[in-house]
Amino acid sequence: MDKKLLRMIAGIELIAIFSIWQIFSSFSWFPTYLSSPLAIVKSMGELWAAGDLVNHIGSSLFRSLMGFLLVVIVGVTLGILAGYYRRVGTFFNPIVNTLNPIPKIALLPILMVWFGISDTTRILIIFLTAFFPCFVATRDGVHSVKQVFLWSGQNMGANAFQLLTKIVFPVTLPKIFDGLRVSLGLTFVMMFSSEIIGAANGFGLGFLILNADLGGRTDYMFAGVAFIGLLGFIFDKLLLMIRSRVLWWDVNKA
């Protein structure tokens, strides 16, 4: 199906959902605490005009993007090494397979004991949550490289490092970006979770939502959630843009 048609369908669906939501809210068919879309947009404007929103967004983005940067560096590197070198994979695979199913938010109290209620703790829990999809996707991408490609490189005189950089890494890139896209979404999810646990003040969209809840301002709560969703959408599109530039040769690029 044509991509333009898919975007149009998605747009129509969103407009229909928000229109129904607004109509039901206008006739009081929804509970009063379920703010209407227009009320949420108004609250977003009020929060922006108040001036503190920039600090909240900046703090949340710092935590999310620092955690994501660690995922890119550590997750991709270890994933490639674990997929390409059998001994490295033998060491890391049991650890990853054991820790992957554990809810990473359960580790937050331990990190709080070690590092206190700090950005270090929040960045680490974001990293731990987003690391595994990136690692697994990268490792599996390396495993999916066809052996004939490696044989061809060896026949041309390529050494192990050249095979890794010239064949394995480029072929694995689509899988790497797939893993990074999942990891990016998880960074925003865990950013919110890490900010609302352990403290009720400070800067960050999680703090903003928590304080709005304590003050009974459900419209501000939804506005904070909307800002998180908007930031996630923007950075997802940026990642897809980077992917399309890097994978210019990939017929399946987004």
Side-chain angles (χ1 to χ4, degrees), residues 125-148:
I125 199 66
I126 290 171
F127 163 73
L128 290 174
T129 302
F131 165 80
F132 292 93
C134 176
F135 174 90
V136 172
T138 303
R139 180 197 61 191
D140 292 349
V142 174
H143 289 162
S144 69
V145 177
K146 295 181 179 180
Q147 189 65 40
V148 66

Side-chain angles (χ1 to χ4, degrees), residues 187-243:
T187 61
F188 285 96
V189 173
M190 191 50 63
M191 172 270 292
F192 168 76
S193 301
S194 67
E195 288 179 346
I196 66 172
I197 294 177
N201 54 59
F203 286 108
L205 292 172
F207 295 132
L208 174 66
I209 294 171
L210 179 60
N211 289 332
D213 178 39
L214 295 175
R217 293 298 304 268
T218 57
D219 54 338
Y220 280 11
M221 288 176 56
F222 280 110
V225 172
F227 278 118
I228 293 177
L230 182 61
L231 290 173
F233 176 80
I234 291 173
F235 280 92
D236 180 66
K237 291 301 180 183
L238 287 175
L239 183 62
L240 288 177
M241 188 184 303
I242 295 172
R243 183 187 192 279

Side-chain angles (χ1 to χ4, degrees), residues 15 49 51 95 101 110 121 124 158 169 181 228 232:
I15 292 173
I95 299 174
I110 300 175
T121 298
L124 283 176
F169 182 67
R181 194 178 183 191
I228 293 177

Side-chain angles (χ1 to χ4, degrees), residues 32-47 208-209 212-213 215-227:
T32 55
Y33 57 79
L34 190 60
S35 304
S36 68
L38 291 180
I40 295 172
V41 171
K42 180 181 177 182
S43 298
M44 292 173 71
E46 291 175 357
L47 289 171
L208 174 66
I209 294 171
D213 178 39
R217 293 298 304 268
T218 57
D219 54 338
Y220 280 11
M221 288 176 56
F222 280 110
V225 172
F227 278 118

Side-chain angles (χ1 to χ4, degrees), residues 36-207:
S36 68
L38 291 180
I40 295 172
V41 171
K42 180 181 177 182
S43 298
M44 292 173 71
E46 291 175 357
L47 289 171
W48 184 266
D52 286 341
L53 186 61
V54 174
N55 292 327
H56 287 301
I57 292 177
S59 297
S60 293
L61 280 181
F62 170 76
R63 295 161 187 146
S64 296
L65 297 182
M66 284 298 296
F68 183 67
L69 180 61
L70 288 175
V71 168
V72 173
I73 296 173
V74 180
V76 172
T77 302
L78 290 183
I80 290 176
L81 294 177
Y84 190 65
Y85 295 104
R86 181 176 299 179
R87 291 183 178 179
V88 178
T90 301
F91 176 80
F92 279 106
N93 288 340
I95 299 174
V96 171
N97 294 336
T98 301
L99 297 180
N100 192 19
I102 298 176
K104 308 310 177 294
I105 193 67
L107 301 176
L108 187 56
I110 300 175
L111 295 176
M112 290 171 60
V113 171
W114 289 349
F115 303 102
I117 303 174
S118 63
D119 280 348
T120 300
T121 298
R122 298 184 181 99
I123 291 171
L124 283 176
I125 199 66
I126 290 171
F127 163 73
L128 290 174
T129 302
F131 165 80
F132 292 93
C134 176
F135 174 90
V136 172
T138 303
R139 180 197 61 191
D140 292 349
V142 174
H143 289 162
S144 69
V145 177
K146 295 181 179 180
Q147 189 65 40
V148 66
F149 294 165
L150 300 177
W151 288 338
S152 298
Q154 290 171 344
N155 289 335
M156 295 179 187
N159 56 36
F161 182 75
Q162 289 173 328
L163 291 175
L164 178 62
T165 56
K166 301 297 184 180
I167 297 177
V168 174
F169 182 67
V171 173
T172 308
L173 271 175
K175 284 286 188 179
I176 292 176
F177 275 104
D178 289 343
L180 288 178
R181 194 178 183 191
V182 176
S183 295
L184 180 62
L186 289 175
T187 61
F188 285 96
V189 173
M190 191 50 63
M191 172 270 292
F192 168 76
S193 301
S194 67
E195 288 179 346
I196 66 172
I197 294 177
N201 54 59
F203 286 108
L205 292 172
F207 295 132

